[in-house]
Amino acid sequence: MYKRITLIIVMIMFLLSLYGCSNDPLSNNVSTENHNEDIIVENEYNSWIVNSESEYIIIENTLYGRGKNSLGLFGNDINYFSGTWNKIANNVKHIEGNDDVLLYLTFDGDLYGLGNQNNKIFIKETKNNLADLKIAKPILLESDCKYFSFSNEFIAIIKNDNTLWCWGESENGQGTIVTDVISKPLQIASNIQFVKTFGFNVAWIDTNGNLYLCGDNSFNQIGNETTGAGSSEKRDDIVTTPFCALKKCNNFSVTDNMIIKANTIDGKEYMWGNYHDSTPTER
């Protein structure tokens, strides 16, 4: 009888070690265990972005821009409009941005940014929050990067050692803490393959294929069985402990109205979020 009980305990512990997804409420820094199955996720590099006033494109690793000079790239007159392409930087592999900010990553792993100085992603570079000042010359924000994602005034980066770091606005807990601003890079996870920020959320896939999300849950986007109130401005639905919504995930996307679509390595597709279930549901 003693040997049988011991064997059962050992088997239970072994199965728990294979579970993969961890939601430990005592720790914001999520790390994962390895297993024998490799799940490969490809980073989605942007080569072209368009905002309401201008557009930017990468051609043969060179970044160009045209349109309204709202970021001060084409001279001192921000009302100037350029109909021709203007060269901004060389050796560029990924760009993201909006009307206020332009960010780009070089093949050397250097992350540069420019735009409105009052955007909170620049807080670690300058304490001068005057909205009428522009950072027209790209400044180095971080080195040793392999990927980044930007949303509103929040940024998440994957370092070359596959650790995940973030800084910027975190009033909805997207940086795993609720605070006005994270002023210097904060590590929030390790063993990361892909990250995406959207709205007031950050989501990532680790090396085991576990999809984690944290931040605002007003539109059920976390996938944790909790239905949100539908208003992120109230900050009533906040999840700071990263939640593992799906295992063996190899890609996911987010629509403009906060619907999450994800695929697993067995070819199944899941959906959750606004107007849908609060947990991943197979389509």
Side-chain angles (χ1 to χ4, degrees), residues 245-262:
L246 194 64
K247 298 169 60 179
K248 297 185 178 180
C249 176
N250 59 1
N251 69 78
F252 70 94
S253 62
V254 185
T255 66
D256 291 338
N257 56 352
M258 296 299 171
I259 296 174
I260 315 295
K261 298 178 181 179

Side-chain angles (χ1 to χ4, degrees), residues 54-274:
S54 54
E55 59 181 325
Y56 304 91
I57 190 170
I58 299 174
I59 301 176
E60 295 181 349
N61 302 335
T62 301
L63 175 60
Y64 298 89
R66 68 180 179 184
K68 187 177 179 181
N69 192 36
S70 57
L71 300 183
L73 281 169
F74 318 138
N76 295 325
D77 183 4
I78 63 173
N79 294 316
Y80 170 73
F81 183 90
S82 175
T84 60
W85 290 106
N86 299 266
K87 181 179 177 180
I88 300 172
N90 294 317
N91 199 32
V92 177
K93 70 174 181 178
H94 181 58
I95 53 175
E96 293 194 24
N98 55 24
D99 286 349
D100 297 319
V101 171
L102 175 65
L103 301 163
Y104 63 87
L105 178 65
T106 70
F107 283 92
D108 298 324
D110 293 329
L111 173 63
Y112 289 90
L114 65 155
N116 287 330
Q117 188 168 288
N118 67 324
N119 192 288
K120 291 179 181 178
I121 66 165
F122 295 124
I123 192 70
K124 72 189 190 77
E125 301 296 332
T126 176
K127 300 297 183 181
N128 190 344
N129 291 324
L130 298 178
D132 58 339
L133 294 181
K134 306 286 183 180
I135 299 175
K137 183 178 180 180
I139 58 175
L140 179 64
L141 297 177
E142 200 69 25
S143 298
D144 195 35
C145 303
K146 64 189 304 183
Y147 194 74
F148 79 90
S149 184
F150 165 74
S151 176
N152 293 318
E153 299 188 42
F154 177 82
I155 187 169
I157 65 172
I158 302 177
K159 293 284 219 173
N160 284 324
D161 63 358
N162 296 327
T163 55
L164 181 62
W165 301 73
C166 66
W167 70 88
E169 191 269 320
S170 189
E171 294 180 359
N172 285 274
Q174 58 266 53
T176 67
I177 57 174
V178 177
T179 183
D180 176 61
V181 60
I182 300 172
S183 60
K184 60 181 180 179
L186 172 69
Q187 182 180 348
I188 60 175
S190 58
N191 300 325
I192 305 306
Q193 294 193 73
F194 177 71
V195 64
K196 182 175 180 60
T197 61
F198 58 95
F200 301 104
N201 295 89
V202 59
W204 65 85
I205 302 177
D206 67 17
T207 52
N208 289 336
N210 298 320
L211 172 61
Y212 286 90
L213 302 97
C214 65
D216 174 57
N217 193 41
S218 298
F219 303 99
N220 320 332
Q221 62 265 47
I222 298 296
N224 63 352
E225 301 184 4
T226 302
T227 301
S231 176
S232 58
E233 289 78 11
K234 293 182 179 179
R235 302 192 176 96
D236 290 334
D237 305 291
I238 292 177
V239 177
T240 56
T241 300
F243 180 79
C244 181
L246 194 64
K247 298 169 60 179
K248 297 185 178 180
C249 176
N250 59 1
N251 69 78
F252 70 94
S253 62
V254 185
T255 66
D256 291 338
N257 56 352
M258 296 299 171
I259 296 174
I260 315 295
K261 298 178 181 179
N263 295 92
T264 53
I265 59 173
D266 56 3
K268 295 180 180 179
E269 183 178 31
Y270 295 83
M271 178 183 293
W272 67 98
N274 199 9

